[in-house]
Amino acid sequence: LALYFHIGEREEKCIIEDIPSDTLVVGNYKVQRWDIHKHDFLESAPGLGMFVTVTSPSGEVLLSKLYGPQGTFSFTSYLSGEHIICFQSNSTRFAVIAGSKLRIHLDIRVGEHFLDESAIQAKDKVNEVNVRLEHLIEQIHHVTKEQDYERKREEKFRKTSEETNSNILWWAIVQTLILISVGIWQIKSLRDFFISKKLV
């Protein structure tokens, strides 16, 4: 996931990421501040830091740390589900003058283990193949875990759909019985009315 978004200098912005359990998540970000004189975002925002907070689906805080204007954060999920990742600047300026707009470039990688290319080049070819093979095995484990998670979600969704369809069927049957009962009662009432008025 790679994106950028704008926030106010004292504003908190959160994104939701659906992550399987036991998965490493690595995020890289860079903050730019709007320059009113150049009418553009500056490449760096010196002295400006970002509070990064990560909350698990159960509401437990997995990460809460202050970083610089650009940095890398990482955490490992222990529950599958929607994790909330929030960013807020550490600006100490008064609210009146803290209206500067910030742009945050964010790159989140879920379940990836990065290869250290310099370490690979330093080793011989056999070790290089070994390291790359281990990396591929890790990637296969991640894909398998992701598929299991998606399968569980699909199974839960299918179960909910089947329960809903069953409820709709029973409601339709109850409605039909009510309509038939009302119809029979109306016919009987009209018949009794006509008989009492000696019209039949």
Side-chain angles (χ1 to χ4, degrees):
L1 171 70
L3 54 91
Y4 75 84
F5 52 88
H6 294 149
I7 63 172
E9 201 165 317
R10 298 174 66 98
E11 180 185 355
E12 183 180 52
K13 192 87 157 193
C14 298
I15 63 167
I16 296 173
E17 190 72 23
D18 207 350
I19 304 168
S21 60
D22 300 318
T23 302
L24 174 68
V25 179
V26 179
N28 293 299
Y29 74 89
K30 179 175 76 171
V31 182
Q32 295 176 306
R33 181 184 277 149
W34 177 256
D35 189 299
I36 51 174
H37 304 296
K38 295 181 180 177
H39 297 286
D40 198 7
F41 286 96
L42 296 177
E43 275 309 304
S44 63
L48 186 65
M50 292 299 293
F51 284 108
V52 179
T53 309
V54 179
T55 310
S56 73
S58 65
E60 184 180 341
V61 176
L62 299 177
L63 174 72
S64 181
K65 191 173 177 183
L66 175 62
Y67 294 88
Q70 62 181 29
T72 301
F73 62 91
S74 65
F75 65 93
T76 302
S77 64
Y78 66 91
L79 280 176
S80 58
E82 294 181 342
H83 288 67
I84 302 170
I85 304 169
C86 297
F87 297 87
Q88 186 177 27
S89 75
N90 69 335
S91 174
T92 55
R93 301 199 299 171
F94 294 112
V96 179
I97 60 171
S100 184
K101 190 162 59 172
L102 303 174
R103 176 184 284 174
I104 299 177
H105 297 267
L106 179 62
D107 182 19
I108 295 179
R109 294 193 173 101
V110 178
E112 290 194 17
H113 298 275
F114 304 105
L115 290 171
D116 185 354
E117 293 295 335
S118 61
I120 291 172
Q121 289 169 3
K123 296 177 180 180
D124 59 16
K125 290 290 179 188
V126 175
N127 283 345
E128 180 182 341
V129 170
N130 253 349
V131 172
R132 289 192 183 275
L133 190 60
E134 286 174 11
H135 178 70
L136 284 173
I137 290 168
E138 283 180 359
Q139 291 295 84
I140 289 168
H141 285 313
H142 171 66
V143 169
T144 306
K145 197 185 299 177
E146 190 81 33
Q147 285 177 335
D148 287 343
Y149 177 57
E150 291 301 327
R151 197 177 297 116
K152 284 177 188 170
R153 287 184 63 194
E154 191 269 335
E155 190 178 314
K156 184 179 175 186
F157 177 75
R158 188 173 59 241
K159 188 177 176 185
T160 305
S161 298
E162 286 170 359
E163 287 173 1
T164 304
N165 287 339
S166 174
N167 290 340
I168 288 171
L169 176 64
W170 282 112
W171 177 241
I173 290 169
V174 168
Q175 278 185 318
T176 305
L177 290 173
I178 290 171
L179 285 172
I180 291 170
S181 302
V182 169
I184 291 169
W185 177 78
Q186 283 183 332
I187 290 169
K188 186 180 180 306
S189 297
L190 281 171
R191 187 170 161 270
D192 291 346
F193 174 76
F194 288 143
I195 287 171
S196 67
K197 295 292 184 183
K198 298 184 179 177
L199 296 173
V200 176

